[in-house]
């Protein structure tokens, strides 16, 4: 289920699976259940749903902070990493770059060996580095972003299906950071196509969002607004309502036309492709 969350499976479907899985695993392995509850809690946060995932522990564990204290006191590295990476994952999608970077650094201090999951977090951390570099947060961040890009490009040799769109997005951010406008735009567009072809709606949304951020910085406002509208659509399809609502609020999107199209789609008056 962890990989399904990272891979961008529909959040509503994942939530239902976690609900069943946690109830089953709690009978046999409470430590595994703790990890699953952390992941389920992140799904609820992304969905914008108010739900107490920890109530299943009947008051023994009140919240994630309580669980982190428990994990650290017992030197449970796997659970500690799960909480740190979970917080990183949520803050990344919400655009809280400084917080996300803090949790990534805490997690990396406990990582003893690389796993496929760590490679995904490396990609996400690289994107944060480029984004913060362009915000003037430090020249070292460009180096970190470039190093992440090189490592992800090497992973293409092992799995193009998983890492093609990720490498393209890092390349787009690299070119955006070096002022190569034409190549940056082309790379964002290639990433969007690659993510769409692989069925990763969350990565498609992210590429639209980051392209929108870049177009805003070079004062191409109509283009950036279109990107943000597309990002909002993708995030809603993923089920990440909290992320979509943040995009709408931060960029003052007028969604009246989108709501109209959704109503027409519901009544069979519009083809789904007209929403893209």
């Amino acid at each position: 289920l962890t990989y399904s969350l990272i891979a961008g499976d529909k959040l509503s479907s994942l939530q239902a699976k976690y609900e069943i899985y946690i109830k089953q695993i709690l009978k046999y392995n409470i430590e595994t259940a703790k990890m699953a509850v952390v992941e389920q809690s992140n799904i609820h946060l992304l969905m914008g749903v108010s739900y107490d995932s920890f109530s299943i522990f009947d008051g023994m564990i009140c919240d994630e902070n309580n669980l982190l204290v428990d994990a650290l006191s017992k030197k449970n590295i796997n659970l500690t990493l799960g909480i740190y990476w979970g917080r990183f994952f949520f803050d990344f999608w919400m655009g809280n770059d400084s917080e996300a970077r803090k949790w990534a650094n805490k997690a990396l201090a406990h990582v003893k060996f690389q796993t496929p999951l760590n490679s995904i977090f490396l990609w996400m951390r690289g994107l944060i580095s480029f984004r913060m570099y362009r915000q003037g947060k430090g020249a070292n961040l460009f180096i970190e972003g470039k190093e992440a890009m090189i490592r992800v490009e090497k992973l293409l040799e092992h799995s193009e299906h998983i890492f093609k769109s990720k490498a393209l997005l890092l390349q787009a951010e690299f070119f955006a950071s070096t002022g190569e406008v034409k190549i940056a735009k082309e790379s964002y567009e290639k990433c969007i196509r690659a993510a769409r072809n692989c069925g990763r709606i969350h990565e498609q949304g992210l590429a639209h969002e980051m392209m929108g951020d870049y177009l805003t910085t070079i004062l191409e406002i109509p283009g950036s607004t279109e990107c943000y509208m597309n990002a909002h659509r993708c995030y809603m399809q993923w089920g990440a309502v909290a992320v979509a609502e943040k995009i709408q609020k931060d960029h003052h999107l007028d969604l009246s036309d989108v709501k109209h199209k959704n109503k027409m789609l519901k009544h069979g008056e519009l083809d789904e492709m007209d929403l893209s």
Side-chain angles (χ1 to χ4, degrees):
L1 287 176
T2 303
Y3 287 97
S4 296
L5 174 59
I6 300 297
D9 285 14
K10 291 287 182 68
L11 294 179
S12 57
S13 175
L14 275 175
Q15 153 56 19
K17 291 177 181 177
Y18 269 96
E19 195 73 26
I20 296 169
Y21 174 69
I22 290 170
K23 288 179 180 177
Q24 291 175 339
I25 201 66
L26 188 62
K27 302 173 186 176
Y28 308 104
N29 192 323
I30 191 170
E31 296 305 316
T32 303
K34 289 175 182 177
M35 182 75 80
V37 165
V38 169
E39 293 169 0
Q40 183 193 48
S41 179
N42 275 308
I43 291 173
H44 288 142
L45 288 171
L46 290 171
M47 293 175 68
V49 173
S50 179
Y51 182 85
D52 182 9
S53 301
F54 294 88
S55 61
I56 199 167
F57 296 116
D58 295 324
M60 291 188 298
I61 300 169
C62 301
D63 55 30
E64 192 175 272
N65 288 327
N66 186 225
L67 186 59
L68 179 58
V69 171
D70 177 66
L72 290 169
S73 66
K74 294 178 180 177
K75 297 184 179 179
N76 186 333
I77 300 301
N78 287 335
L79 182 55
T80 300
L81 276 173
I83 294 171
Y84 286 158
W85 282 134
R87 291 180 177 184
F88 166 78
F89 187 77
F90 174 72
D91 281 323
F92 172 85
W93 287 106
M94 294 301 292
N96 303 326
D97 290 344
S98 296
E99 280 295 297
R101 183 175 167 80
K102 178 185 76 175
W103 296 118
N105 289 341
K106 283 180 174 289
L108 289 170
H110 290 83
V111 171
K112 303 301 180 184
F113 54 88
Q114 288 299 315
T115 67
L117 203 57
N118 289 343
S119 298
I120 304 300
F121 291 132
L122 167 72
W123 162 67
M124 296 166 74
R125 189 170 183 267
L127 293 174
I128 287 173
S129 297
F130 279 132
R131 191 154 55 187
M132 291 181 69
Y133 167 73
R134 293 208 305 280
Q135 294 169 354
K137 301 292 178 63
N140 63 304
L141 292 165
F142 176 78
I143 297 171
E144 286 184 10
K146 185 177 179 181
E147 288 175 348
M149 180 182 70
I150 292 170
R151 289 174 66 180
V152 170
E153 286 173 342
K154 288 180 179 178
L155 291 170
L156 280 171
E157 301 170 9
H158 304 288
S159 180
E160 183 173 323
H161 176 75
I162 294 175
F163 291 104
K164 182 178 180 180
S165 58
K166 295 173 178 62
L168 284 167
L169 189 52
L170 280 169
Q171 289 165 5
E173 287 291 290
F174 171 81
F175 292 126
S177 298
T178 54
E180 298 176 70
V181 177
K182 184 175 183 294
I183 304 177
K185 288 181 180 179
E186 290 173 352
S187 297
Y188 284 120
E189 289 166 356
K190 287 178 181 178
C191 173
I192 290 166
R193 287 195 296 272
R196 183 187 301 124
N197 292 339
C198 291
R200 296 196 185 93
I201 193 68
H202 65 322
E203 287 188 26
Q204 195 178 329
L206 179 63
H208 279 300
E209 180 186 355
M210 298 191 85
M211 185 175 185
D213 290 343
Y214 176 58
L215 293 180
T216 299
T217 64
I218 58 174
L219 303 180
E220 294 190 12
I221 305 305
S224 69
T225 300
E226 183 179 354
C227 285
Y228 292 135
M229 293 287 281
N230 286 330
H232 182 277
R233 170 180 54 82
C234 291
Y235 289 143
M236 288 298 289
Q237 289 180 21
W238 182 28
V241 176
V243 184
E245 288 181 345
K246 185 176 186 298
I247 292 288
Q248 179 184 1
K249 181 180 178 182
D250 288 352
H251 304 292
H252 311 289
L253 300 181
D254 178 7
L255 298 176
S256 56
D257 187 50
V258 174
K259 291 175 181 176
H260 176 63
K261 285 185 176 182
N262 284 335
K263 185 177 180 181
M264 291 176 69
L265 179 63
K266 183 177 179 181
H267 289 88
E269 300 170 20
L270 191 70
D271 189 272
E272 275 193 49
M273 292 301 293
D274 292 328
L275 290 174
S276 61

